[in-house]
Amino acid sequence: MGELTGGWKCTKFLLFVFNLIFWAFGLALIIVGAIALDKYGAIFTLASNHSWASGPALIIAVGCIIFIVAFLGCFGAIRENNCCLVLFGVALSIIFILTLAGCIVIAVFKTKIEDDLKGILKQSMNDYESNTGVRDAWNSLQKDWPKCCGTDGPDDWTNLNLTVPTSCCVNPSTNCTIYRQNGCYQATVGAVVDHWPAAAGVAGGVAIIELIGIFMACGLANAIRTGTYEVV
């Protein structure tokens, strides 16, 4: 009977640990996507006709794929299954390419979101009274997050001959006399700009980790296929 030599034993162990971390990362993506949908759902509702609004759903989908692929890698490493390791390497290569594409998308969509958002907010204000979904989204933005009023301020509502919503009130439990003065555009863009460098950094770091995983999986699969064993 044969078994992997010392160096490849270490690689097998590292690949198994790598996949556990990768599995946890996939789970984290699913959670992050769900939190984004919950916290920023109002913005994505208003921007439903724009491609970047599907971002949280895409994050959840990628997390699910990573979750499954990591399991494949764990199984292939622990069972020394060449087929599973090859499939894992191919799948991880595809995810690596998608991650690089994601880095580019993050850079491009930062500017696009900033450009689109003000028009989306201003246009949707016209539908506040006639569209329940739009009204709920605006009330959520103004009352819950990021706690703002109108696109640029409360005057946006009066300029449209609309009553300033009670969700703009600083203290809605009393007779509303004081409205929030900060507009939702600057508040939302500020949050996006603050989190964008972290998102880009995470995407870049994940791409490097994936590349290491690809090399380990391919090397281990080749060792198993060519019979790099010691006799025991």
Short mmCIF file of all heavy atoms in Angstrom, two decimals, residues 138-189:
data_model
loop_
_atom_site.label_atom_id
_atom_site.label_comp_id
_atom_site.label_asym_id
_atom_site.label_seq_id
_atom_site.Cartn_x
_atom_site.Cartn_y
_atom_site.Cartn_z
N TRP A 138 -38.92 54.87 0.64
CA TRP A 138 -38.52 56.21 1.08
C TRP A 138 -38.67 56.37 2.58
O TRP A 138 -37.81 56.93 3.25
CB TRP A 138 -39.36 57.28 0.35
CG TRP A 138 -38.66 57.85 -0.84
CD1 TRP A 138 -38.92 57.60 -2.15
CD2 TRP A 138 -37.55 58.73 -0.82
NE1 TRP A 138 -38.04 58.28 -2.96
CE2 TRP A 138 -37.19 58.99 -2.16
CE3 TRP A 138 -36.80 59.33 0.20
CZ2 TRP A 138 -36.13 59.82 -2.51
CZ3 TRP A 138 -35.73 60.16 -0.15
CH2 TRP A 138 -35.41 60.40 -1.48
N ASN A 139 -39.76 55.85 3.14
CA ASN A 139 -39.96 55.94 4.58
C ASN A 139 -38.87 55.19 5.34
O ASN A 139 -38.42 55.62 6.40
CB ASN A 139 -41.34 55.41 4.97
CG ASN A 139 -42.46 56.34 4.54
OD1 ASN A 139 -42.23 57.54 4.36
ND2 ASN A 139 -43.66 55.81 4.39
N SER A 140 -38.44 54.06 4.78
CA SER A 140 -37.37 53.30 5.40
C SER A 140 -36.06 54.07 5.37
O SER A 140 -35.32 54.12 6.36
CB SER A 140 -37.21 51.95 4.68
OG SER A 140 -36.14 51.22 5.22
N LEU A 141 -35.74 54.68 4.21
CA LEU A 141 -34.53 55.49 4.10
C LEU A 141 -34.53 56.63 5.11
O LEU A 141 -33.53 56.88 5.80
CB LEU A 141 -34.41 56.08 2.69
CG LEU A 141 -33.88 55.21 1.56
CD1 LEU A 141 -33.95 55.98 0.26
CD2 LEU A 141 -32.45 54.78 1.85
N GLN A 142 -35.66 57.32 5.19
CA GLN A 142 -35.72 58.54 5.98
C GLN A 142 -35.82 58.27 7.48
O GLN A 142 -35.29 59.03 8.30
CB GLN A 142 -36.90 59.40 5.51
CG GLN A 142 -36.70 59.87 4.08
CD GLN A 142 -37.84 60.69 3.53
OE1 GLN A 142 -37.62 61.64 2.79
NE2 GLN A 142 -39.07 60.34 3.88
N LYS A 143 -36.46 57.16 7.83
CA LYS A 143 -36.69 56.87 9.24
C LYS A 143 -35.65 55.95 9.85
O LYS A 143 -35.21 56.15 10.99
CB LYS A 143 -38.08 56.25 9.41
CG LYS A 143 -38.46 55.98 10.86
CD LYS A 143 -39.85 55.36 10.93
CE LYS A 143 -40.25 55.05 12.37
NZ LYS A 143 -41.60 54.43 12.43
N ASP A 144 -35.23 54.91 9.08
CA ASP A 144 -34.35 53.87 9.64
C ASP A 144 -32.89 54.02 9.24
O ASP A 144 -32.01 54.07 10.08
CB ASP A 144 -34.87 52.49 9.20
CG ASP A 144 -36.30 52.25 9.65
OD1 ASP A 144 -36.64 52.67 10.77
OD2 ASP A 144 -37.08 51.66 8.87
N TRP A 145 -32.62 54.03 7.96
CA TRP A 145 -31.25 54.21 7.45
C TRP A 145 -31.31 54.86 6.09
O TRP A 145 -32.11 54.43 5.26
CB TRP A 145 -30.53 52.87 7.32
CG TRP A 145 -29.12 53.04 6.82
CD1 TRP A 145 -28.00 53.20 7.56
CD2 TRP A 145 -28.70 53.12 5.45
NE1 TRP A 145 -26.91 53.37 6.75
CE2 TRP A 145 -27.31 53.33 5.44
CE3 TRP A 145 -29.37 53.06 4.20
CZ2 TRP A 145 -26.57 53.46 4.27
CZ3 TRP A 145 -28.62 53.19 3.03
CH2 TRP A 145 -27.22 53.38 3.08
N PRO A 146 -30.49 55.89 5.84
CA PRO A 146 -29.50 56.48 6.74
C PRO A 146 -30.03 57.66 7.58
O PRO A 146 -29.25 58.48 8.04
CB PRO A 146 -28.43 56.97 5.77
CG PRO A 146 -29.20 57.34 4.53
CD PRO A 146 -30.37 56.38 4.47
N LYS A 147 -31.35 57.73 7.75
CA LYS A 147 -32.01 58.79 8.52
C LYS A 147 -31.74 60.14 7.89
O LYS A 147 -30.89 60.91 8.33
CB LYS A 147 -31.56 58.76 9.99
CG LYS A 147 -32.01 57.50 10.72
CD LYS A 147 -31.68 57.56 12.20
CE LYS A 147 -32.21 56.31 12.91
NZ LYS A 147 -31.95 56.30 14.36
N CYS A 148 -32.51 60.41 6.84
CA CYS A 148 -32.30 61.60 6.02
C CYS A 148 -33.66 62.14 5.60
O CYS A 148 -34.69 61.70 6.12
CB CYS A 148 -31.45 61.24 4.80
SG CYS A 148 -32.09 59.76 3.93
N CYS A 149 -33.67 63.08 4.66
CA CYS A 149 -34.95 63.62 4.20
C CYS A 149 -34.81 64.14 2.78
O CYS A 149 -33.98 65.02 2.50
CB CYS A 149 -35.41 64.74 5.11
SG CYS A 149 -37.09 65.33 4.75
N GLY A 150 -35.62 63.60 1.87
CA GLY A 150 -35.57 64.02 0.47
C GLY A 150 -34.25 63.64 -0.18
O GLY A 150 -33.40 62.98 0.42
N THR A 151 -34.08 64.06 -1.42
CA THR A 151 -32.82 63.78 -2.12
C THR A 151 -31.70 64.64 -1.57
O THR A 151 -30.62 64.15 -1.23
CB THR A 151 -32.98 64.01 -3.63
OG1 THR A 151 -34.02 63.17 -4.14
CG2 THR A 151 -31.68 63.69 -4.36
N ASP A 152 -31.96 65.95 -1.49
CA ASP A 152 -30.96 66.89 -0.97
C ASP A 152 -31.40 67.56 0.32
O ASP A 152 -30.61 68.29 0.93
CB ASP A 152 -30.66 67.96 -2.03
CG ASP A 152 -30.02 67.38 -3.27
OD1 ASP A 152 -29.02 66.65 -3.14
OD2 ASP A 152 -30.54 67.62 -4.38
N GLY A 153 -32.65 67.36 0.72
CA GLY A 153 -33.16 67.98 1.93
C GLY A 153 -34.68 68.03 1.90
O GLY A 153 -35.31 67.68 0.90
N PRO A 154 -35.33 68.46 2.98
CA PRO A 154 -36.79 68.48 3.06
C PRO A 154 -37.47 69.36 2.02
O PRO A 154 -38.63 69.13 1.66
CB PRO A 154 -37.07 68.97 4.49
CG PRO A 154 -35.81 69.63 4.93
CD PRO A 154 -34.70 68.92 4.24
N ASP A 155 -36.75 70.37 1.52
CA ASP A 155 -37.35 71.26 0.51
C ASP A 155 -37.70 70.51 -0.78
O ASP A 155 -38.55 70.98 -1.55
CB ASP A 155 -36.41 72.42 0.18
CG ASP A 155 -36.31 73.43 1.33
OD1 ASP A 155 -37.19 73.38 2.21
OD2 ASP A 155 -35.36 74.23 1.33
N ASP A 156 -37.05 69.37 -1.02
CA ASP A 156 -37.35 68.60 -2.23
C ASP A 156 -38.82 68.17 -2.25
O ASP A 156 -39.43 68.10 -3.33
CB ASP A 156 -36.46 67.35 -2.30
CG ASP A 156 -35.01 67.69 -2.59
OD1 ASP A 156 -34.75 68.78 -3.12
OD2 ASP A 156 -34.14 66.86 -2.27
N TRP A 157 -39.37 67.87 -1.09
CA TRP A 157 -40.77 67.44 -1.02
C TRP A 157 -41.72 68.61 -1.30
O TRP A 157 -42.66 68.48 -2.08
CB TRP A 157 -41.08 66.84 0.35
CG TRP A 157 -40.37 65.55 0.61
CD1 TRP A 157 -39.33 65.34 1.47
CD2 TRP A 157 -40.63 64.29 -0.01
NE1 TRP A 157 -38.92 64.03 1.43
CE2 TRP A 157 -39.70 63.35 0.53
CE3 TRP A 157 -41.55 63.85 -0.96
CZ2 TRP A 157 -39.69 62.01 0.16
CZ3 TRP A 157 -41.52 62.51 -1.34
CH2 TRP A 157 -40.61 61.61 -0.78
N THR A 158 -41.45 69.75 -0.67
CA THR A 158 -42.33 70.92 -0.88
C THR A 158 -42.21 71.46 -2.30
O THR A 158 -43.18 71.98 -2.86
CB THR A 158 -42.00 72.02 0.14
OG1 THR A 158 -40.61 72.36 0.05
CG2 THR A 158 -42.30 71.55 1.56
N ASN A 159 -41.05 71.32 -2.91
CA ASN A 159 -40.87 71.76 -4.30
C ASN A 159 -41.70 70.93 -5.27
O ASN A 159 -41.99 71.38 -6.39
CB ASN A 159 -39.40 71.69 -4.70
CG ASN A 159 -38.55 72.74 -3.99
OD1 ASN A 159 -39.07 73.75 -3.51
ND2 ASN A 159 -37.24 72.51 -3.92
N LEU A 160 -42.07 69.72 -4.85
CA LEU A 160 -42.92 68.85 -5.67
C LEU A 160 -44.40 68.99 -5.27
O LEU A 160 -45.24 68.21 -5.71
CB LEU A 160 -42.49 67.39 -5.50
CG LEU A 160 -41.14 67.00 -6.10
CD1 LEU A 160 -40.76 65.58 -5.69
CD2 LEU A 160 -41.16 67.12 -7.61
N ASN A 161 -44.68 70.00 -4.44
CA ASN A 161 -46.04 70.22 -3.92
C ASN A 161 -46.54 69.02 -3.12
O ASN A 161 -47.73 68.67 -3.17
CB ASN A 161 -47.02 70.54 -5.07
CG ASN A 161 -46.67 71.83 -5.78
OD1 ASN A 161 -46.33 72.82 -5.14
ND2 ASN A 161 -46.74 71.82 -7.10
N LEU A 162 -45.62 68.38 -2.41
CA LEU A 162 -45.96 67.25 -1.56
C LEU A 162 -45.70 67.62 -0.10
O LEU A 162 -44.82 68.43 0.21
CB LEU A 162 -45.12 66.02 -1.92
CG LEU A 162 -45.31 65.44 -3.33
CD1 LEU A 162 -44.27 64.35 -3.59
CD2 LEU A 162 -46.71 64.86 -3.48
N THR A 163 -46.47 67.02 0.78
CA THR A 163 -46.25 67.22 2.21
C THR A 163 -45.00 66.44 2.62
O THR A 163 -44.81 65.30 2.21
CB THR A 163 -47.46 66.71 3.02
OG1 THR A 163 -48.63 67.41 2.58
CG2 THR A 163 -47.25 66.93 4.52
N VAL A 164 -44.19 67.08 3.44
CA VAL A 164 -42.98 66.39 3.91
C VAL A 164 -43.41 65.19 4.76
O VAL A 164 -44.18 65.34 5.71
CB VAL A 164 -42.10 67.34 4.75
CG1 VAL A 164 -40.85 66.58 5.25
CG2 VAL A 164 -41.68 68.55 3.94
N PRO A 165 -42.98 63.98 4.40
CA PRO A 165 -43.41 62.78 5.14
C PRO A 165 -43.01 62.82 6.61
O PRO A 165 -41.98 63.41 6.96
CB PRO A 165 -42.68 61.64 4.41
CG PRO A 165 -42.35 62.19 3.06
CD PRO A 165 -42.10 63.64 3.26
N THR A 166 -43.81 62.20 7.44
CA THR A 166 -43.49 62.15 8.87
C THR A 166 -42.20 61.35 9.13
O THR A 166 -41.59 61.51 10.17
CB THR A 166 -44.64 61.50 9.67
OG1 THR A 166 -44.91 60.19 9.13
CG2 THR A 166 -45.90 62.34 9.58
N SER A 167 -41.80 60.51 8.17
CA SER A 167 -40.55 59.76 8.33
C SER A 167 -39.34 60.69 8.31
O SER A 167 -38.24 60.27 8.67
CB SER A 167 -40.41 58.69 7.25
OG SER A 167 -40.55 59.25 5.95
N CYS A 168 -39.53 61.94 7.89
CA CYS A 168 -38.45 62.93 7.92
C CYS A 168 -38.29 63.57 9.29
O CYS A 168 -37.31 64.27 9.54
CB CYS A 168 -38.71 64.04 6.90
SG CYS A 168 -38.26 63.63 5.19
N CYS A 169 -39.28 63.37 10.16
CA CYS A 169 -39.28 64.05 11.46
C CYS A 169 -38.13 63.57 12.34
O CYS A 169 -37.85 62.37 12.40
CB CYS A 169 -40.60 63.81 12.18
SG CYS A 169 -42.02 64.49 11.30
N VAL A 170 -37.52 64.50 13.02
CA VAL A 170 -36.48 64.16 13.98
C VAL A 170 -37.08 63.35 15.12
O VAL A 170 -36.50 62.39 15.61
CB VAL A 170 -35.78 65.42 14.50
CG1 VAL A 170 -34.80 65.07 15.63
CG2 VAL A 170 -35.05 66.14 13.37
N ASN A 171 -38.29 63.75 15.53
CA ASN A 171 -39.00 63.04 16.60
C ASN A 171 -40.43 62.80 16.15
O ASN A 171 -41.33 63.59 16.46
CB ASN A 171 -38.96 63.86 17.90
CG ASN A 171 -39.51 63.08 19.08
OD1 ASN A 171 -39.95 61.93 18.94
ND2 ASN A 171 -39.49 63.70 20.26
N PRO A 172 -40.67 61.70 15.42
CA PRO A 172 -42.00 61.46 14.84
C PRO A 172 -43.08 61.15 15.87
O PRO A 172 -44.26 61.13 15.53
CB PRO A 172 -41.77 60.24 13.93
CG PRO A 172 -40.58 59.56 14.50
CD PRO A 172 -39.71 60.66 15.07
N SER A 173 -42.72 60.93 17.12
CA SER A 173 -43.71 60.60 18.13
C SER A 173 -44.46 61.84 18.62
O SER A 173 -45.48 61.72 19.30
CB SER A 173 -43.05 59.90 19.33
OG SER A 173 -42.10 60.75 19.94
N THR A 174 -43.96 63.03 18.29
CA THR A 174 -44.63 64.27 18.67
C THR A 174 -45.13 64.97 17.42
O THR A 174 -44.91 64.51 16.30
CB THR A 174 -43.65 65.19 19.42
OG1 THR A 174 -42.56 65.54 18.54
CG2 THR A 174 -43.10 64.50 20.66
N ASN A 175 -45.81 66.09 17.60
CA ASN A 175 -46.23 66.89 16.45
C ASN A 175 -44.97 67.34 15.71
O ASN A 175 -44.11 68.02 16.27
CB ASN A 175 -47.03 68.12 16.91
CG ASN A 175 -48.39 67.71 17.45
OD1 ASN A 175 -48.96 66.72 17.02
ND2 ASN A 175 -48.90 68.48 18.42
N CYS A 176 -44.90 66.95 14.45
CA CYS A 176 -43.66 67.13 13.69
C CYS A 176 -43.46 68.60 13.33
O CYS A 176 -44.24 69.18 12.58
CB CYS A 176 -43.69 66.28 12.43
SG CYS A 176 -42.12 66.25 11.57
N THR A 177 -42.41 69.19 13.85
CA THR A 177 -42.06 70.58 13.52
C THR A 177 -40.61 70.70 13.04
O THR A 177 -40.24 71.68 12.42
CB THR A 177 -42.26 71.50 14.72
OG1 THR A 177 -41.48 71.01 15.83
CG2 THR A 177 -43.73 71.57 15.12
N ILE A 178 -39.81 69.68 13.36
CA ILE A 178 -38.40 69.72 12.99
C ILE A 178 -38.08 68.53 12.10
O ILE A 178 -38.29 67.38 12.48
CB ILE A 178 -37.49 69.68 14.24
CG1 ILE A 178 -37.83 70.85 15.18
CG2 ILE A 178 -36.02 69.74 13.83
CD1 ILE A 178 -37.05 70.82 16.47
N TYR A 179 -37.60 68.83 10.90
CA TYR A 179 -37.26 67.78 9.94
C TYR A 179 -35.74 67.60 9.85
O TYR A 179 -34.98 68.55 10.09
CB TYR A 179 -37.80 68.12 8.55
CG TYR A 179 -39.29 68.28 8.48
CD1 TYR A 179 -39.86 69.52 8.19
CD2 TYR A 179 -40.14 67.20 8.71
CE1 TYR A 179 -41.24 69.68 8.12
CE2 TYR A 179 -41.51 67.35 8.66
CZ TYR A 179 -42.06 68.59 8.37
OH TYR A 179 -43.42 68.74 8.31
N ARG A 180 -35.33 66.40 9.49
CA ARG A 180 -33.91 66.17 9.23
C ARG A 180 -33.51 67.02 8.02
O ARG A 180 -34.22 67.05 7.01
CB ARG A 180 -33.64 64.70 8.96
CG ARG A 180 -33.91 63.80 10.16
CD ARG A 180 -33.49 62.35 9.86
NE ARG A 180 -33.73 61.50 11.02
CZ ARG A 180 -34.87 60.84 11.25
NH1 ARG A 180 -35.87 60.93 10.37
NH2 ARG A 180 -35.01 60.10 12.33
N GLN A 181 -32.36 67.64 8.10
CA GLN A 181 -31.92 68.53 7.03
C GLN A 181 -30.97 67.87 6.04
O GLN A 181 -30.75 68.39 4.95
CB GLN A 181 -31.24 69.78 7.64
CG GLN A 181 -32.17 70.63 8.50
CD GLN A 181 -33.36 71.14 7.71
OE1 GLN A 181 -33.22 71.76 6.65
NE2 GLN A 181 -34.56 70.87 8.23
N ASN A 182 -30.41 66.73 6.42
CA ASN A 182 -29.48 66.06 5.51
C ASN A 182 -30.23 65.28 4.45
O ASN A 182 -31.22 64.60 4.72
CB ASN A 182 -28.55 65.12 6.29
CG ASN A 182 -29.31 64.05 7.06
OD1 ASN A 182 -30.29 64.34 7.74
ND2 ASN A 182 -28.86 62.81 6.96
N GLY A 183 -29.78 65.41 3.20
CA GLY A 183 -30.42 64.70 2.10
C GLY A 183 -29.98 63.25 2.03
O GLY A 183 -28.89 62.89 2.47
N CYS A 184 -30.83 62.42 1.45
CA CYS A 184 -30.53 60.99 1.37
C CYS A 184 -29.43 60.68 0.35
O CYS A 184 -28.76 59.65 0.46
CB CYS A 184 -31.80 60.21 1.02
SG CYS A 184 -33.04 60.24 2.34
N TYR A 185 -29.26 61.56 -0.63
CA TYR A 185 -28.21 61.29 -1.64
C TYR A 185 -26.83 61.31 -1.00
O TYR A 185 -26.07 60.35 -1.12
CB TYR A 185 -28.28 62.31 -2.77
CG TYR A 185 -27.11 62.20 -3.72
CD1 TYR A 185 -27.01 61.12 -4.59
CD2 TYR A 185 -26.10 63.16 -3.73
CE1 TYR A 185 -25.92 60.99 -5.44
CE2 TYR A 185 -25.02 63.05 -4.58
CZ TYR A 185 -24.93 61.96 -5.43
OH TYR A 185 -23.85 61.84 -6.26
N GLN A 186 -26.51 62.40 -0.31
CA GLN A 186 -25.19 62.51 0.31
C GLN A 186 -24.99 61.45 1.39
O GLN A 186 -23.91 60.89 1.54
CB GLN A 186 -24.99 63.91 0.89
CG GLN A 186 -24.72 64.98 -0.13
CD GLN A 186 -23.45 64.73 -0.93
OE1 GLN A 186 -22.51 64.08 -0.46
NE2 GLN A 186 -23.41 65.21 -2.16
N ALA A 187 -26.05 61.18 2.16
CA ALA A 187 -25.95 60.18 3.23
C ALA A 187 -25.66 58.80 2.67
O ALA A 187 -24.83 58.05 3.21
CB ALA A 187 -27.24 60.17 4.05
N THR A 188 -26.34 58.45 1.56
CA THR A 188 -26.16 57.12 0.97
C THR A 188 -24.83 57.01 0.25
O THR A 188 -24.11 56.01 0.41
CB THR A 188 -27.30 56.83 -0.02
OG1 THR A 188 -28.56 57.01 0.63
CG2 THR A 188 -27.22 55.41 -0.55
N VAL A 189 -24.47 58.01 -0.54
CA VAL A 189 -23.19 58.00 -1.25
C VAL A 189 -22.04 57.96 -0.25
O VAL A 189 -21.04 57.28 -0.47
CB VAL A 189 -23.07 59.23 -2.18
CG1 VAL A 189 -21.64 59.42 -2.64
CG2 VAL A 189 -23.96 59.06 -3.39
#
